[in-house]
Every structure is written in C-alpha cells, then in structure tokens.
Amino acid sequence: MDRLAGKTALVTGASRGIGRAIAIRIADEGALVAVHYAANTQMAEDVVATIEKNGGRAFAVQAELGAPGDAHELFLRLEAGLKERTGSVELDVLVNNAGVMGGVPADETTAEQFDRLIAVNAKAPFFLIQRALSNLTSGARVINISSGLTRFANPDEVAYAMSKGAVEQLALHLAKPLAERGITINSVAPGITRNGNPVFDIPEAVEQMARLSPFGRVGEPQDVADIVAFLASDESRWMTGAFVDASGGTLLG
Ligand code: NDP
C-alpha cells in the first residue's frame, strides 16, 4: 500500500522493538522515515537498510532524549536530513515512541529513576511536539505511544505508568488547537509486546504473559505498527484526542 506516498515521518526510538516495526511499516506505505535512536547506531542503520531493501526511503537521526535541549538537537538533525532529501523541513507524521521501562517497585524507586522516566517518556514528547509545530503540515498526524499500564494495575510500574498517564494528556488537551490546522493527535496503548528483552526468550514467562490476552499470545511489534500505520494515514482523519487500545484485549480484564 502507499497511503503515505510523498509524506515525511519521524519515529522516535526506531532502532528496535515497536519503533523499528513502525518505521518499517510506514516506510512500506511510502513515507520517507527518519529513524531516531539514542545509542544503537548499528541497529538504526540496519533499520534504514531494511527499509531501503524494501524499496523505501529512510535515514537515521541520533539524539539522547531526557537531556536538556534534546528536542531541539533532534530537530536540527532531522531538519538537515529532510532538507537534503526533500528540499524542505516539513513533517507529516510524528510518532513519539521512544521510552524507558521502570520495573522497580514503588517503595524502591529512587528520585533519579523517577525523574528519568518522566524526562524520557513524558517531557520529551511534550517538547518534541512543541518543537515540531512549525514543521507539521496541514493534515499532519501526531501519535504518542502510551501503555496499557495506564488502565491495568501493576505495583512494580507505578512511576512508569505515571509517565504514560502524563503522555496521554497530550492527545486530550492538544487535539482541539491542532484540529484548527487539520492535525490529529492520538495515544496508542500497547499491552505486553515482544521486544529485545531477554524475558521473551523464556517460554514459561511468555506463556504466562500470553494468558493476559484473550487471543492467548503476546503482542508482536507489527500488531502495534499496523494500528499506527492506520492512524498515520488519511483514513484516520475523523479520530483525534483518542485513547487507542492496542493491547490485544488485555484491558478487557
Ligand atoms: P525498546 O526498549 O525495544 O526500544 C526502545 C527504543 O527507544 C530504542 O530505539 C531506544 O534507542 C530508544 N530510546 C530509549 N531511551 C531513549 C532515550 N533516552 N533517548 C532516545 N531514545 C531512547 O522499546 P519497546 O519497543 O518495548 O517500546 C516502545 C514504546 O512502547 C515505549 O514507549 C514503551 O514504553 C511502549 N510500550 C512497550 C510495551 C512492550 O511490552 N514492549 C508495552 C507498552 C508500551 P537505542 O536503541 O539507541 O537505545
């Protein structure tokens, strides 16, 4: 399909996991994709190579999120990459996917761990959107990756869930002003989704996690990427400010 032909997209945290699948998926739809990453240059380059092998277009953009000036630094590199390839700095799709997990019980969470979760998962998307405002085209799409943990209790992930609860506020409160420019903004909440975490190499653990979904399996990055591809396309034009459950039914309880 080529629902995003001629469009440009930024996917943060696209070197691996869900972000990688989103980058590949929306590149397959025809978008020129900026594959953002923090440290894994080789993995980001591999994503670019995969996209090019599939006949698509992409380039890698490095920037550590959660550090002062992060959004501006990322956008300077993004704009240079876009300008070189399209002659403009216009952006049609922004996917705020990069994130860090917690996995620390509330009574053991340090102030530094808490600040880091908020800085990467909530503050960075806020300032990336703010910085993107002058680049976003009429009809652009903003998609923020949240988590089913904003609706599913887990005492080991309180701080992480708080950071994701915060990121969901972006869609609610920015949807109206962005709609004036024809831009939509939505939150996507995955459930347990296979990534590079070693826990997915332990069959008993995967079996236990799979029981949380009525489909009896864990999510694959492509499951989430297909939903994001829809939200990135014109077909989602009548949806904004929404919470999109991408948990494979886990939130049904
Ligand atoms: P991964 O841990 O597999 O990948 C994380 C990505 O984010 C990598 O590309 C990484 O770059 C980048 N990243 C991490 N920290 C930073 C940082 N400080 N600055 C810039 N980039 C950074 O993540 P997942 O695919 O598992 O998760 C993707 C999103 O989905 C996250 O927001 C996560 O919270 C959310 N989510 C995931 C679920 C899951 O079960 N997997 C469930 C619910 C939500 P690099 O490779 O360079 O380190």
Side-chain angles (χ1 to χ4, degrees):
M1 283 196 274
D2 59 356
R3 292 182 294 184
L4 299 176
K7 306 276 190 194
T8 58
L10 165 64
V11 183
T12 68
S15 47
R16 51 201 167 92
I18 295 171
R20 176 182 191 277
I22 294 170
I24 292 171
R25 182 70 178 77
I26 64 182
D28 280 348
E29 294 277 1
L32 166 64
V33 179
V35 175
H36 162 263
Y37 69 102
N40 284 307
T41 309
Q42 191 51 55
M43 291 179 104
E45 291 298 349
D46 286 350
V47 176
V48 171
T50 300
I51 288 171
E52 287 173 346
K53 208 172 111 220
N54 294 348
R57 294 201 304 156
F59 59 98
V61 176
Q62 191 279 334
E64 174 73 28
L65 298 177
D70 51 3
H72 186 58
E73 207 160 289
L74 190 161
F75 264 76
L76 287 181
R77 292 174 191 158
L78 170 73
E79 286 170 345
L82 289 175
K83 187 112 198 178
E84 191 184 319
R85 290 163 182 84
T86 68
S88 113
V89 295
E90 288 188 346
L91 187 65
D92 299 295
V93 180
L94 166 58
V95 184
N96 279 309
N97 164 79
V100 283
M101 288 291 287
V104 186
D107 56 356
E108 290 172 25
T109 302
T110 65
E112 289 73 23
Q113 287 169 329
F114 186 92
D115 287 348
R116 173 96 182 133
L117 284 164
I118 298 295
V120 177
N121 294 355
K123 186 176 174 186
F126 175 91
F127 283 102
L128 284 169
I129 293 170
Q130 184 192 68
R131 180 63 176 78
L133 286 175
S134 55
N135 305 75
L136 291 172
T137 55
S138 167
R141 301 278 181 263
V142 180
I143 300 148
N144 300 315
I145 306 300
S146 178
S147 166
L149 286 171
T150 61
R151 308 281 197 284
F152 186 100
N154 180 342
D156 288 348
E157 295 290 356
V158 181
Y160 171 77
M162 286 176 72
S163 73
K164 292 299 190 180
V167 91
E168 285 176 15
Q169 298 304 311
L170 289 167
L172 177 64
H173 296 282
L174 291 177
K176 281 187 181 177
L178 290 177
E180 289 166 17
R181 295 171 52 185
I183 299 171
T184 67
I185 176 168
N186 294 291
S187 309
V188 172
I192 293 176
T193 309
R194 192 185 303 275
N195 60 12
N197 190 309
V199 74
F200 290 101
D201 297 330
I202 307 168
E204 302 77 40
V206 174
E207 215 172 283
Q208 199 180 341
M209 293 188 284
R211 279 191 222 117
L212 293 173
S213 163
F215 294 118
R217 66 173 178 86
V218 298
E220 299 297 331
Q222 291 78 6
D223 294 323
V224 181
D226 281 345
I227 291 167
V228 172
F230 161 70
L231 289 172
S233 77
D234 181 59
E235 290 166 17
S236 69
R237 64 194 167 277
W238 207 231
M239 268 179 83
T240 195
F243 169 85
V244 180
D245 178 342
S247 74
T250 299
L251 301 184
L252 295 170

